[in-house]
Amino acid sequence: MTAGAWRHSAGIIRANIWSYGSSVAFYIGFFALALAPGLINRAIFDALSGHARAGVNVWTLIGLVIGVEFGRFGLQYFGGVLFNVFYYSSEALLKRNMMSWLVGGPGPRVLPGSPGEAVSRFRDDTLETVGFSTVMIVSPQVLTGAVAFAIMLRINAQITVVIVAPMMATVALTYLVSRRIQGYRKIAREATAAVTSFIGETFGAVQSIKLAAAEVRVAQHLKVLNEHRRRASIRDLMFSSVLTFLNTNIASVASGCVLLLAAQAMRRGTFTVGDFTLFASYLAMVSAAPLLVGQILALERQSGVSIERMRSLMDGSAPLSLVAGSAPAPASPRAVAPLRTLKVRGLSCRHPGVGRGVEDIDLDLDRGRFVVITGRVGAGKTTLLRALLGLIPRDGGAILWNGETVDDPATFMVPPRCAYTSQTPRLFSESLKDNILMGAAVSDDLLAGAVSLAVFGQDVAGFDAGLETLVGTRGVTLSGGQLQRAGAARMFIRHADLLVFDDISSALDTPTEQELWRGLFKDGRRACLAVSHRRAAFLLADEIVLLDEGRIRARGDAATLRAQSPL
């Protein structure tokens, strides 16, 4: 885990090397100039107290101090600007790579937890990881502290060692308890994610909660989760705060040591007033160096927890894909001939654990034909479609497009070859137009044609804002039938050769459903495979395939199956 935190931090820096390198350069100058005021003040007070050799006068030194401070201000300002550029660019890098993996890659991407828990990783864990990388920008402060230590050691070794020893002890303590820091941070993150997840699921199930009269029990459960989060967060915060307190306040102890030891040395004549002012000036720098080292050690462990949580969202990806400098571009579908015939031979797919699925499925679908899959609930209809499209892995069988084997259906069965819509299409809280286009650049005529083909034009015309109507979370402002037709329009805009529907017409009235199916085959250019229980689909189908317990029990047209199949 430790090496992982450093490797991922290096990857973040490489991806934003310009802003990182520039900000480091400015901060090196800023911290280096921090040494100058102490040396100048020492010369000033030695001059005033009569311990200085002939040279520049006091006013020259005061002017030099003012110039140095203005210089440090400029370096800190520009370094801070570049620091923020690096910080937010790095945060965006992590979020982009996680999102690209989840939605941009081939095949299904399954979240390791709930969507709310995933949001916690996007929100909290990215900040934790970037925080570890950004602390490297101010790490030159450690070098400044080392130089200050060397100067102090040359002036008076005894006082310097007495000051630094307690500080080094706090660094050693931080290292010894770093694993406990990691454990507490992991528990706190998981508790926070549980609260976020439950709140998100509650918002999506308000009606179910009301129907079950479970409002009080839901609130009580949320209270329990929040209490667990409170305890975990307090323990994590208190442990980190104690270490920070020790690291910070050890400087006060060091200041007291300077006063006590310096007084004796000045009485012996081995320590000047100027030396004292330099020690007082450098004390903050010397104490800041061990504090920063301790902070790096703690952040390393905490960042390791966050990296582990984010990597679990990208299960199966390359080791450092989380910090890849550029997101992999979605692969363009390989050019193949338009669909003439699709053949499925011996397709089998069983769900792990339950053993249910489909077994030894054979299908033939030619261009312009309409095949309907039907059967009881749990017969394996949706499993068949998802296995055919590569959304779940197959256990066996072959898929042939125009006689050529499809080795990876997840990357092959995509527009413009194939388009798919589930029974309840997922919509975003955007306009109806944006939900249909999903970023596709098409003309208004093509958009209108897709809406018309989905038998959705009359409904859209009745909306106050037409296609610009905001549909709300998951399309909550639309009826079930409108939701399904919005999903159908989203398919049609892609002009795919093969259309795959999973019970897309279940919420439509009979006339609308008949118009939808008839419109699909006016030009004879599409093939359609649909799961349906509806009579309108049966009557228009060229073939009906009847599934039961994952196997094909009968096939034929509607009249044949009604006469021959009791099921």
Side-chain angles (χ1 to χ4, degrees), residues 156 158-159 256-272 276:
N156 192 304
Q158 179 185 8
I159 296 177
C257 293
V258 170
L259 291 173
L260 293 174
L261 297 174
Q264 299 176 11
M266 291 173 70
R267 188 178 298 113
R268 294 193 301 268
T270 59
F271 203 70
T272 68
F276 178 80

Side-chain angles (χ1 to χ4, degrees), residues 372-453:
V372 172
I373 311 294
T374 193
R376 293 190 178 106
V377 174
K381 303 180 295 298
T382 297
T383 299
L384 170 57
L385 296 189
R386 291 174 64 82
L388 172 66
L389 299 173
L391 299 178
I392 53 177
R394 293 172 291 157
D395 296 326
I399 301 169
L400 297 98
W401 181 282
N402 297 339
E404 295 187 12
T405 301
V406 177
D407 294 319
D408 184 9
T411 58
F412 189 91
M413 294 295 191
V414 295
R417 290 189 284 267
C418 177
Y420 166 70
T421 295
S422 62
Q423 182 176 2
T424 307
R426 289 297 185 98
L427 300 187
F428 292 90
S429 302
E430 303 291 342
S431 69
L432 180 59
K433 180 179 179 180
D434 288 336
N435 274 284
I436 293 174
L437 293 178
M438 293 288 286
V442 301
S443 66
D444 292 341
D445 289 341
L446 290 177
L447 175 59
V451 171
S452 176
L453 190 59

